Amino acid sequence: MSESKRILAIDFGERRVGIAVSDPTNLIAQGLPTLYNDPSLFSRLRSVVSKYNIVRIVVGMPYTLKGEMGAKAQEVLEFVSRLRKEVGVEVSTWDERFTSSLARDAIRQMGTKQMARRKKEKVDQMASTLLLQSYLDFQANQAQRGA
């Protein structure tokens, strides 16, 4: 696709996995179609990594409101461990608190009809996009401070 090195964000779920990719400059996040969490998930993720020249994957970590790792965090850590072995690129975690509720709000504010808002795939896609945008904004801010 492009020679630029991009970042992929994953909003991991038991049934679905929301994914988003950065633009070539790593400034803007764009949602990709949601993947189903089935036996072919890692194969499809390897395809996305190859197609978009992904050099880093950021996986949403479900911290509690107190900033601690909740029950779902262990499942995400197991996924991250396997992902590192399967895709061969750097994988890190990023705080995903509130991304799903923010995604639902954003979809509602965009004037999306109620029936379309109920599609959980759309919420997963938006959540991964918000997750990645938050990560990209943080990285850009860190780079400005260091400059």
Side-chain angles (χ1 to χ4, degrees), residues 7-13 16-23 27-35 41 45 48 56-61 79 92-104 106-107 119-137:
I7 300 170
L8 177 73
I10 297 178
D11 180 39
F12 179 79
R16 290 171 314 280
V17 176
I19 60 174
V21 66
S22 70
D23 72 319
L27 293 175
I28 300 170
Q30 175 184 0
L32 296 176
T34 299
L35 304 176
L41 175 62
L45 286 172
V48 170
R56 174 179 294 143
I57 299 174
V58 179
V59 179
M61 181 57 71
F79 170 76
S92 56
T93 60
W94 189 252
D95 188 348
E96 71 164 17
R97 280 181 282 187
F98 309 114
T99 54
S100 291
S101 60
L102 289 171
R104 282 188 287 278
I107 290 169
K119 291 190 175 196
K120 294 183 179 181
E121 293 87 357
K122 247 331 182 200
V123 174
D124 295 333
Q125 180 185 43
M126 181 65 77
S128 64
T129 304
L130 293 171
L131 172 78
L132 181 55
Q133 193 62 57
S134 142
Y135 178 82
L136 295 174
D137 291 348

Side-chain angles (χ1 to χ4, degrees), residues 30-73:
Q30 175 184 0
L32 296 176
T34 299
L35 304 176
Y36 285 95
N37 190 349
D38 61 21
S40 67
L41 175 62
F42 289 98
S43 171
R44 286 179 284 139
L45 286 172
R46 280 191 300 275
S47 293
V48 170
V49 166
S50 175
K51 178 179 180 180
Y52 291 96
N53 198 21
I54 302 297
V55 293
R56 174 179 294 143
I57 299 174
V58 179
V59 179
M61 181 57 71
Y63 291 106
T64 66
L65 292 177
K66 293 181 180 179
E68 300 166 350
M69 288 192 180
K72 281 298 243 187

